[in-house]
Amino acid sequence: MLFREAMAATFGPLDFLPIPDGQIHRFRVPGDRAGSRNGAYALYLDGIASGWFGSWKDGGWQPWSSRKPADHLEADMIAKRIEQARRQREAEQRQRQQVAAAEAVGLWAVAEPADPDHPYLARKGCHPHALRQLGDVLLVPLYLGRQLVNLQRIHLDGTKKRFLPGGQVTGCYSPLGRLEEGQRIFVCEGWATGATIHEYNGAAVACAMYATNLFAVGDRLRLAYPDNPLVMAGDDDRETEAEGKGNPGRTAATKAAAVLGCELVFPNWSGDEPLELSDFNDLRQWRRVKQ
C-alpha cells in the first residue's frame, strides 16, 4: 500500500496496516518507548485516495495523496480533509493538555518537598530548590506563564525522565530563582544544568528541557519580560559531533540566540574534559572530582 510505504519512509518499519475509514488512528512510532502512541494517521479511500500522518511528539504532520488532483474539485476535497484533520488534532491536543495539567496540579499538591539526599540530586551535586517528590520520583514543574501545566518525573538513577502523557512542553519551562527588574534570565535545557547556573551566579533560570524548546521559551520570556536581558546557555554535544552526528545542543542554542538577538554562552572547556561531558553541570561535577 502506497500510504503505508510513505509512513514507513518517515517512521521506519510498521507492524500494522492502515485502516482506510477516515478516522484518526493512533499508533506507536518505532523507537518510542513501549506503550506510547505518539503517532497518528487518517486514510480516506472515497474519491482520490488521500490522508495524513505524523507524530504528536514532534508535531510534524504530512499530507498524502495517491496522485495529483485531476481537477479543482479533487483539490478542494483534499484541502477540506486536511483542514478538518487539523481542527480535530488541535481539539484532541487541547483536551490531552488539559487532562495532563489537571493531573500535574493534583500530583504536585500531594507531593512532599524533595529530599536533598535523593540519588539524582546527589549525583548532580544540586540542591533541591523547589522540586517535590512522590515516593522515589522527583517532580520537576513546567509552567506556561504562571500556570502549572506539566511535570517531568525523574526516577532514582536519572535515566528515566518522563513528562505526563499529552502534557504541553513547547513554550513551557521550569523556573529557578527570583526574577528581579533588569536582571538577566538564563535559558538552558535540563533542570540540573539550570540549577548549576543558578547556584553559581544566583540568576533566574528557565529550564526548557529540550534543545528544540529553547527558542520557544526564549521568545515567550522576551515578550513577558522585555526589560530583562536573555542569555542562551546551551549544551555542547561534542561527543555526537565527533561521531559525525551533529551537535544538536550547540546548533539549537546558537540559532535561538541569533533569532532573539541575545547573549550566547557554552561550557568553558579546558580541553582535558572527556567528550561525553556536554553541559554546565557535567563540567562542574568533573571539576569537583578533579579538585
Side-chain angles (χ1 to χ4, degrees):
M1 180 184 292
L2 295 178
F3 183 69
R4 186 171 186 270
E5 291 175 1
M7 293 177 64
T10 298
F11 297 120
L14 302 174
D15 58 0
F16 65 90
L17 290 174
I19 302 172
D21 59 1
Q23 302 298 313
I24 294 179
H25 296 275
R26 301 186 63 182
F27 63 93
R28 176 181 172 274
V29 175
D32 283 359
R33 64 183 178 86
S36 64
R37 293 198 304 159
N38 294 315
Y41 74 88
L43 176 60
Y44 309 82
L45 291 186
D46 55 317
I48 180 174
S50 61
W52 55 265
F53 58 87
S55 170
W56 297 105
K57 189 173 182 179
D58 61 23
W61 304 99
Q62 299 185 38
W64 175 89
S65 61
S66 59
R67 56 174 171 79
K68 291 184 178 181
D71 51 41
H72 73 279
L73 293 177
E74 285 190 342
D76 288 346
M77 180 181 65
I78 293 176
K80 288 178 180 178
R81 286 174 174 175
I82 292 174
E83 176 60 21
Q84 181 184 16
R86 183 189 63 79
R87 292 197 298 266
Q88 287 179 313
R89 290 196 303 268
E90 289 180 351
E92 181 179 342
Q93 185 177 40
R94 286 193 297 270
Q95 183 179 25
R96 283 159 51 84
Q97 289 174 349
Q98 290 170 359
V99 171
E103 183 180 2
V105 171
L107 292 174
W108 190 252
V110 299
E112 300 289 337
D115 181 358
D117 296 322
H118 188 281
Y120 178 78
L121 296 175
R123 189 171 71 258
K124 295 294 186 178
C126 295
H127 300 296
H129 299 287
L131 297 191
R132 295 188 183 181
Q133 186 170 337
L134 201 58
D136 291 333
V137 179
L138 289 176
L139 302 181
V140 181
L142 268 73
Y143 291 89
L144 185 66
R146 298 181 181 274
Q147 182 181 1
L148 177 65
V149 297
N150 204 343
L151 296 172
Q152 185 185 58
R153 296 162 294 173
I154 303 178
H155 293 260
L156 285 174
D157 61 2
T159 59
K160 290 178 61 179
K161 297 179 181 178
R162 298 283 188 268
F163 296 107
L164 296 178
Q168 186 170 353
V169 176
T170 301
C172 305
Y173 61 90
S174 187
L176 284 155
R178 183 174 180 178
L179 184 62
E180 304 292 345
E181 184 177 354
Q183 181 187 24
R184 293 190 300 174
I185 307 174
F186 285 76
V187 182
C188 68
E189 290 189 39
W191 182 88
T193 301
T196 301
I197 295 170
H198 174 67
E199 290 167 7
Y200 176 74
N201 60 19
V205 183
C207 307
M209 302 301 169
Y210 287 127
T212 52
N213 197 32
L214 291 172
F215 171 75
V217 170
D219 191 42
R220 183 174 293 275
L221 291 170
R222 171 62 58 79
L223 293 173
Y225 306 101
D227 297 326
N228 293 82
L230 290 180
V231 181
M232 199 62 56
D235 285 9
D236 191 5
D237 301 312
R238 302 170 303 146
E239 187 173 30
T240 58
E241 187 174 35
E243 296 171 349
K245 301 177 181 178
N247 191 325
R250 178 175 282 273
T251 299
T254 300
K255 182 178 180 180
V259 175
L260 294 168
C262 67
E263 186 179 348
L264 174 67
V265 296
F266 292 102
N268 186 20
W269 311 113
S270 68
D272 296 330
E273 300 87 356
L275 283 179
E276 61 263 25
L277 307 186
S278 65
D279 59 41
F280 288 95
N281 180 262
D282 291 341
L283 180 58
R284 182 184 70 175
Q285 295 306 94
W286 184 82
R287 287 176 174 174
R288 284 178 173 178
V289 171
K290 289 295 182 179
Q291 289 178 350

